[in-house]
């Protein structure tokens, strides 16, 4: 299997497991760990975990919200000046998680590079 | 780059490592920290513990273990999300009340006591410091301490119930995971703290402040100095030329055998200049209540109604519950933080409150010695006591404020607060500081079976002074004006008094049995709407503390208008939009105003208000024109009171209109600014009308229309600085202040209840909010539309805990076993 896909899936699985015991930065930890053990190249270093966590957070949030007709999501979207659309808030949520994960993965990659002498 | 050697390449690796490390820490910090008003985004938005967890339906089934319960408690929820609690004893009942209130309203419950205690700086930072200092100096915490001390000494039973409530709240808080915290905690990034009995005492102080914390003694002192005694009497008479008091005029007071305190020989007003005063509660805080007797009811059963007028907030101030034990069943509106039902009914009686407008706050000038450790009293010196208020501020060092206490009470104003005089200050004498046992009144009322037990429950009530309306299934109706009132000498406490003269102290209290009251009056109804408590014949001094003069007359005229009244009549009266105030001035102004100089545009508005029938309905333009016209007129007339350097109080509406109509050439009518001209009332009508028209045309450009709906734009704002996302705007409801449907922009009937005294009673009611405090719940604001439309919900007064009709979910609270 393509390394990108393995990293993508592992990041998601690890993030879900870690979120049971860790606060929100479980996604950063997950991305850091996978980048150490399943190193990727070039832009993929950032993009793969970014997309993994973006998908995870967006999907999880969507599942939590749809049963309640996005009542709170719409209000929070307004609160954060996102125009009141729950979908915008879902996207912002995903990007927030993805960004944190992607940057942590870049750190992991640099650790790998430094330790490979 | 191509020219870099391998050594430099190594360096680059480390530089990149360092850079990515800094970036990682940076993003962690940014997403984990509250920046300005932006919440910590990572914490706030992540699906596992952030706000998405608050996107949930109510959990109203299953079993929950609660430590300290003696027996199991059944909680039935009806489709309005009202919990019907069936406990086996009162201790379990109040534990369950605490638990359920926290479950549905935790953030509000806690926030209100932070506000009461002057602790908002802990949550929102330095912006709240001045507010917090005012509340501390007003003695809110001191008063709560006194209430707890009183209960510890005289009534440990009530205190034990208050502790049960605290245990219930804490049982809920302890079950919470951070992911379950209400969304406001996540937004502001803080956590709930443990609940204590003192917080209940603080909440009761908050009610006292909100309802009976208004006084204008210091403003009146300034006014008296500026305009003299004769003019003061003209503008602020103790009684207006009309009185339609709470207790009917024909009441016989001959049973009162304790006289009013005698006027002291030396009585001298202290005519200080006071620049500014602390923030007052909303002047419209008031209410309506009334009851008709069996004879005056179409069904033959007494009917009772109550609608407290308070700020319109979300989460709503009220939370409706049924609270029952095998010995009693009570139903009605509770206030998060206080035990039992506040306005409601049980199987035998119904009750409700309105504010009794009595002057329960007086001010004394204090003269200190050099080091401010003593103050002058009765020809000698008395020691000051100190209370250090430690105000914690989020993200900053605490602010310590030392408040000096005299035997009168806290020295609110001194050189450290709103005053610059090093050797003197103003001390507050407030009945709210006296440590009463107010909670007991409600606990007893919830169980009372008849008139005698209602009167018995009232005796514990000190403050805020309330008009307690009553009706029973036995056919009695009654109304007591209950509070602890000083027996004042004539005129005592209208103005700032000399704090060193013992004659100025409150000498005694009106014995409770001599508080004004009426039972089964001949006219067949009782009512109150914050007007005069009594007329001149009541043998004690009562002073106009902002009497209502319109709602009361509309209500009483209505009940005098026909023989019998039904529930539908009650509903119509709650929703009555008749503007008596406007009807008493508009025709006079239209008749006397010189219309020769009106422009085309002004004539349009002139014809609009001329056609108005004085109903403040949402599609009318009359109410908006009236508001503008009267508002401009009031400001032009009382320009003498527009002074930024001195705290002043302009006359009340009733007297203003009275003077305009009967004394139109008085010197007050003249506008000070126009030196070469002497204006009369007639001139003011025209000037104000022209200003009003200009403003109305602006409003039309801004908002598209100036009908009452658009003009008033009623809203219910979230408790936290009115966060728009958690608020409701443009609620389509008519009315206004001084109208029976007292809904102004952000204030109005916060709870409407009508109870017919069948056995058991049948009740309907509504409030502008919803049972849930969670903005993510559909039960957060689901009553608002029906409330605005004047609709009611039928309450399901469940008579036994195995009854399941209308129940949508049942939760059982069981004693937690210690394993």
């Amino acid at each position: 299997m393509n390394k990108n896909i393995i990293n993508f899936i592992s990041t998601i699985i690890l993030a879900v497991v870690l979120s049971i015991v860790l606060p929100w930065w479980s996604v950063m930890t997950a991305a850091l760990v996978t980048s150490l053990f399943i190193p990727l190249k070039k832009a993929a270093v950032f993009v793969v975990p970014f997309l993994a966590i973006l998908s995870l957070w967006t999907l999880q949030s969507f599942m939590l919200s749809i049963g309640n007709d996005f009542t709170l999501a719409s209000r929070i979207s307004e609160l954060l000046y996102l125009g009141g659309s729950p979908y915008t808030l879902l996207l912002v949520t995903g990007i927030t998680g993805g960004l944190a994960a992607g940057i942590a993965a870049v750190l992991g990659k640099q650790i790998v590079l430094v330790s490979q002498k | 780059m191509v020219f870099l050697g391998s050594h430099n390449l190594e360096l680059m690796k480390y530089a990149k490592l360092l850079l990515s490390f800094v970036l990682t820490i940076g993003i962690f910090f940014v997403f984990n920290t509250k920046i300005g008003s932006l919440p910590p985004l990572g914490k706030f938005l992540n699906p596992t513990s952030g706000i998405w967890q608050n996107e949930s339906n109510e959990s109203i089934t299953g079993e929950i273990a609660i430590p300290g319960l003696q027996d199991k408690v059944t909680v039935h929820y009806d489709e309005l999300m009202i919990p019907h609690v069936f406990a086996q004893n009162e201790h379990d009942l109040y534990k369950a009340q605490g638990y359920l209130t926290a479950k549905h309203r935790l953030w509000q419950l806690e926030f209100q006591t932070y506000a009461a205690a002057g602790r908002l700086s802990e949550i929102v930072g330095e912006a709240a410091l001045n507010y917090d200092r005012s509340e501390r100096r007003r003695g809110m915490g001191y008063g709560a301490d006194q209430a707890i001390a009183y209960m510890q000494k005289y009534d440990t039973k009530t205190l034990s119930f208050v502790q049960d409530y605290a245990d219930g709240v804490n049982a809920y808080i302890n079950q919470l995971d951070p992911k379950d915290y209400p969304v406001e905690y996540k937004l502001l990034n803080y956590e709930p703290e443990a609940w204590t009995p003192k917080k209940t005492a603080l909440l009761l102080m908050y009610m006292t402040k909100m309802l009976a914390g208004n006084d204008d003694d210091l403003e009146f002192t300034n006014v008296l100095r500026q305009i003299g005694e004769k003019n003061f009497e003209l503008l602020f008479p103790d009684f207006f030329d009309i009185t339609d008091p709470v207790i009917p005029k024909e009441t016989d007071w001959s049973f009162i055998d304790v006289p009013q305190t005698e006027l002291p020989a030396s009585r001298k007003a202290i005519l200080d200049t006071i620049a500014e005063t602390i923030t007052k509660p909303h002047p419209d805080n008031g209410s309506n209540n009334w009851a008709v007797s069996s004879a005056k009811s179409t069904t033959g059963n007494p009917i009772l109604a109550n609608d407290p007028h308070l700020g319109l907030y979300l989460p709503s101030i009220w939370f409706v519950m049924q609270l029952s034990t095998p010995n009693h069943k009570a139903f009605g509106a509770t206030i998060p933080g206080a035990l039992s039902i506040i306005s409601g009914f049980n199987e035998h009686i119904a009750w409700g409150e309105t504010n009794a407008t009595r002057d329960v706050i007086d001010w004394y000038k204090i003269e200190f010695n050099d080091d401010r450790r003593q103050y002058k009293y009765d020809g000698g010196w008395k020691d000051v006591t100190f209370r250090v208020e430690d105000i914690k501020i989020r993200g900053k060092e605490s602010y310590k404020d030392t408040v000096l206490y005299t035997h009168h009470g806290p020295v609110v104003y001194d050189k450290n607060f709103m005053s610059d005089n090093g050797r003197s200050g103003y001390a507050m004498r407030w009945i709210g500081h006296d440590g009463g046992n107010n909670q007991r009144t409600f606990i007893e009322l919830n169980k009372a079976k008849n008139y005698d037990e209602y009167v018995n429950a009232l005796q514990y009530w000190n403050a805020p002074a309330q008009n307690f309306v009553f009706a029973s299934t036995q056919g009695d109706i009654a109304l007591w004006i209950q509070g602890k009132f000083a027996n004042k000498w004539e005129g005592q406490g209208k103005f700032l008094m000399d704090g060193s003269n013992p004659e100025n102290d409150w000498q005694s209290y009106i014995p409770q049995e001599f508080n004004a009251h009426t039972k089964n009056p001949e006219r067949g109804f009782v009512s109150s709407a914050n007007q005069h408590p009594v007329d001149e014949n009541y043998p004690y001094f009562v002073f106009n503390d902002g009497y209502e003069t319109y709602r009361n007359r509309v209500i009483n005229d209505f009940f005098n208008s026909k023989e019998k009244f039904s529930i539908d009549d009650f509903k119509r009266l709650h929703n009555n939009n008749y503007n008596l105030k406007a009807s008493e001035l508009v025709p006079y102004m239209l008749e006397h105003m010189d219309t020769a100089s009106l422009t085309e545009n002004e004539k349009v508005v002139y014809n609009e208000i001329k056609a108005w029938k004085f109903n403040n309905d949402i599609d009318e333009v009359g109410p908006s024109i009236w508001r503008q016209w009267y508002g401009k007129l009031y400001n032009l007339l009382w320009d003498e009171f527009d002074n930024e350097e001195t705290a002043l109080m302009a006359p009340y509406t009733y007297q203003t209109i009275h003077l305009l109509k009967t004394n139109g050439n008085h010197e007050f009518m003249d506008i000070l600014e126009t030196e070469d001209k002497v204006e009369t009332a007639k001139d003011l009508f025209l000037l104000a009308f022209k200003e009003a028209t200009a403003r109305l045309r602006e409003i039309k450009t801004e908002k598209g229309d100036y009908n009452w709906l658009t003009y008033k734009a009623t809203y219910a704002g979230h408790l936290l600085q009115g966060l728009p996302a958690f608020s409701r705007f443009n609620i389509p409801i008519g009315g206004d202040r001084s109208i029976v449907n007292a809904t102004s922009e952000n204030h109005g009937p916060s709870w409407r209840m009508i109870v017919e005294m069948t056995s058991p009673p049948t009740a309907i009611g509504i409030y502008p909010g919803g049972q849930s405090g969670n903005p993510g719940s559909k039960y957060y604001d689901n009553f608002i539309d029906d409330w605005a439309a004047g609709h009611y919900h039928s309450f399901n007064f469940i008579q036994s805990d195995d009854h399941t009709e209308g129940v949508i979910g049942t939760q059982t609270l069981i004693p937690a076993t210690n394993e």
Side-chain angles (χ1 to χ4, degrees), chain B residues 177-197:
Chain B
D177 209 48
K179 76 179 169 64
D180 307 317
Y181 290 164
V183 65
E184 290 90 346
Y185 289 103
K186 296 181 182 179
L187 187 61
L188 296 167
N189 201 21
Y190 75 113
E191 292 171 1
E193 65 176 19
W195 186 267
T196 58

Side-chain angles (χ1 to χ4, degrees), chain B residues 26-300:
Chain B
I27 200 94
F28 169 78
F29 179 79
V30 168
F31 285 170
N32 202 49
T33 314
K34 183 169 177 279
I35 300 165
S37 62
L38 195 69
L41 284 183
K43 259 175 122 169
F44 189 66
L45 290 179
N46 84 84
T48 328
S49 64
I51 53 105
W52 300 98
Q53 288 290 330
N54 300 71
E55 186 89 81
S56 65
N57 293 313
E58 311 291 327
S59 84
I60 51 169
T61 52
E63 275 190 356
I64 291 170
I66 294 189
L69 273 188
Q70 295 169 21
D71 219 319
K72 80 167 196 179
V73 178
T74 307
V75 185
H76 292 307
Y77 282 92
D78 64 27
E79 57 185 7
L80 301 172
M81 201 45 68
I82 295 173
H84 300 251
V85 182
F86 290 86
Q88 296 307 310
N89 58 69
E90 269 182 289
H91 286 289
D92 283 358
L93 183 68
Y94 293 120
K95 270 201 184 78
Q97 188 182 5
Y99 180 87
L100 293 167
T101 305
K103 176 177 156 185
H104 297 282
R105 297 288 185 87
L106 178 62
W107 178 78
Q108 170 196 15
L109 178 72
E110 194 178 54
F111 185 77
Q112 285 178 173
T113 54
Y114 270 74
R119 290 180 58 195
L120 289 185
S121 302
E122 282 178 47
I123 303 174
V124 301
E126 204 172 15
L129 182 60
N130 268 335
Y131 169 85
D132 284 345
R133 286 191 71 195
S134 295
E135 299 317 289
R136 309 277 183 132
R137 289 187 156 256
R138 208 193 287 273
M140 297 293 284
Y142 170 76
D145 287 342
Q146 299 303 308
I148 294 288
Y150 183 94
M151 284 191 278
Q152 278 167 347
K153 203 164 168 192
Y154 300 106
D155 190 3
T156 49
K157 190 173 170 203
T158 300
L159 188 59
S160 72
F161 292 140
V162 177
Q163 184 63 52
D164 287 325
Y165 186 93
D167 293 345
V169 174
N170 290 332
Y172 180 74
I173 294 176
N174 293 338
Q175 284 172 8
L176 285 185
D177 209 48
K179 76 179 169 64
D180 307 317
Y181 290 164
V183 65
E184 290 90 346
Y185 289 103
K186 296 181 182 179
L187 187 61
L188 296 167
N189 201 21
Y190 75 113
E191 292 171 1
E193 65 176 19
W195 186 267
T196 58
K198 184 173 169 185
K199 287 182 178 248
T200 290
L202 278 165
L203 192 272
L204 294 172
M205 280 300 290
Y206 196 53
M207 278 171 64
T208 305
K209 179 195 97 168
M210 198 162 62
L211 298 172
N214 210 356
D215 86 290
D216 299 298
D217 300 2
L218 298 177
E219 285 80 357
F220 284 155
T221 304
N222 283 328
V223 172
L224 179 67
R225 195 187 63 255
Q226 288 196 359
I227 68 173
E229 200 165 334
K230 194 167 148 258
N231 275 331
F232 188 90
E233 287 304 321
L234 176 71
L235 301 190
F236 298 95
D238 286 357
F239 290 90
F240 297 125
D241 69 327
I242 50 116
T243 37
D244 196 345
V246 174
I247 304 302
K249 282 181 159 196
E250 54 273 19
T251 303
D252 177 10
W253 302 112
S254 61
F255 67 97
I256 293 181
D257 56 8
V258 173
Q260 176 173 317
T261 304
E262 255 179 66
L263 207 59
S266 66
R267 151 181 86 91
K268 210 169 75 224
I270 303 278
L271 294 177
D272 276 15
T273 302
I274 300 121
E276 57 174 334
T277 55
I278 48 177
T279 319
K280 309 282 169 61
H282 199 295
D284 294 348
N285 286 345
S287 315
N288 304 318
N289 63 20
W290 58 76
V292 296
S293 66
S294 324
K296 225 174 159 62
S297 154
T298 52
T299 65

Side-chain angles (χ1 to χ4, degrees), chain A residues 54-92:
Chain A
L54 182 140
S55 321
L56 175 68
W57 275 22
T58 308
L59 190 72
Q60 281 183 321
S61 302
F62 179 83
M63 302 296 283
L64 286 164
S65 203
I66 188 168
N68 199 35
D69 298 332
F70 303 102
T71 310
L72 187 63
S74 310
R75 292 188 187 274
I76 298 292
S77 169
E78 197 189 327
L79 185 89
L80 296 179
Y81 304 103
L82 300 175
S85 158
Y87 301 105
T88 320
L89 185 72
L90 282 169
L91 193 66
V92 169

Side-chain angles (χ1 to χ4, degrees), chain B residues 486-741:
Chain B
N487 180 351
K488 296 184 180 185
W489 39 262
E490 194 71 22
Q492 186 177 10
K494 262 192 194 181
F495 310 106
L496 177 64
M497 293 183 283
D498 176 3
S500 71
N501 181 355
E503 287 177 332
N504 290 335
D505 288 10
W506 291 357
Q507 307 292 325
S508 62
Y509 295 96
I510 297 173
Q512 194 260 338
E513 65 269 30
F514 299 155
N515 277 345
H517 61 274
T518 178
K519 182 190 178 193
N520 298 328
E522 208 150 299
R523 66 184 188 182
F525 71 94
V526 294
S527 79
S528 74
N530 321 108
Q531 75 268 37
H532 303 63
V534 289
D535 67 1
E536 292 93 329
N537 294 321
Y538 185 59
Y540 298 107
F541 173 64
V542 292
F543 165 52
N544 185 350
D545 195 36
Y547 296 148
E548 169 63 37
T549 41
Y550 299 99
R551 281 183 280 121
N552 59 321
R553 287 188 286 150
V554 174
I555 293 166
N556 289 351
D557 288 350
F558 181 70
F559 284 114
N560 285 320
S561 70
K562 58 179 183 175
E563 282 301 304
K564 286 180 191 289
F565 293 84
S566 64
I567 301 256
D568 278 340
D569 288 323
F570 272 46
K571 289 185 189 171
R572 269 196 289 278
L573 186 53
H574 266 166
N575 292 283
N576 184 315
N577 284 337
Y578 187 65
N579 194 330
L580 178 61
K581 192 197 288 182
S583 82
E584 292 186 341
L585 184 61
V586 170
Y588 183 88
M589 292 198 292
L590 291 175
E591 190 188 325
H592 291 88
M593 184 169 78
D594 182 4
T595 55
S597 69
L598 292 187
T599 65
E600 279 310 306
N601 285 330
E602 286 160 359
K603 274 186 193 141
V604 173
V605 176
Y606 182 86
N607 288 326
E608 279 174 338
I609 191 147
K610 210 170 172 180
W612 184 39
K613 300 282 186 289
F614 307 114
N615 279 317
N616 273 38
D617 299 334
I618 48 177
D619 50 356
E620 297 274 1
V621 290
S624 318
I625 302 172
W626 158 251
R627 262 273 199 102
Q628 276 298 322
W629 195 3
Y630 180 72
K632 304 283 188 224
L633 177 65
Y634 187 88
N635 290 341
L636 287 172
L637 170 53
W638 301 125
D639 55 342
E640 291 85 356
F641 292 81
D642 183 19
N643 183 337
E644 283 186 3
E645 272 103 63
T646 320
L648 292 169
M649 166 79 193
Y652 301 117
T653 301
Y654 184 83
Q655 199 63 3
T656 301
I657 292 179
H658 181 71
L659 291 174
L660 283 168
K661 285 163 74 173
T662 60
N663 220 336
N665 298 322
H666 195 279
E667 56 177 347
F668 280 119
M669 304 293 159
D670 185 32
I671 299 173
L672 300 176
E673 231 173 42
T674 57
E675 283 171 8
D676 54 337
K677 220 173 154 254
V678 178
E679 286 86 359
T680 64
K682 224 175 98 175
D683 302 319
L684 299 186
F685 297 158
L686 183 64
L687 285 170
F689 186 79
K690 284 178 176 286
E691 282 184 23
T693 307
R695 178 65 196 134
L696 286 165
R697 290 182 60 79
E698 280 172 25
I699 293 171
K700 190 160 188 166
T701 320
E702 287 161 19
K703 297 185 171 185
D705 203 342
Y706 55 79
N707 67 27
W708 192 225
L709 174 70
T710 319
Y711 184 97
K712 181 160 74 115
T714 299
Y715 66 99
H718 185 263
L719 268 180
L720 185 69
Q721 296 155 341
L723 288 177
F726 296 168
S727 307
R728 279 283 295 270
F729 298 96
N730 299 311
I731 303 169
I733 182 167
D736 199 1
R737 64 180 62 99
S738 298
I739 289 175
V740 182
N741 173 15

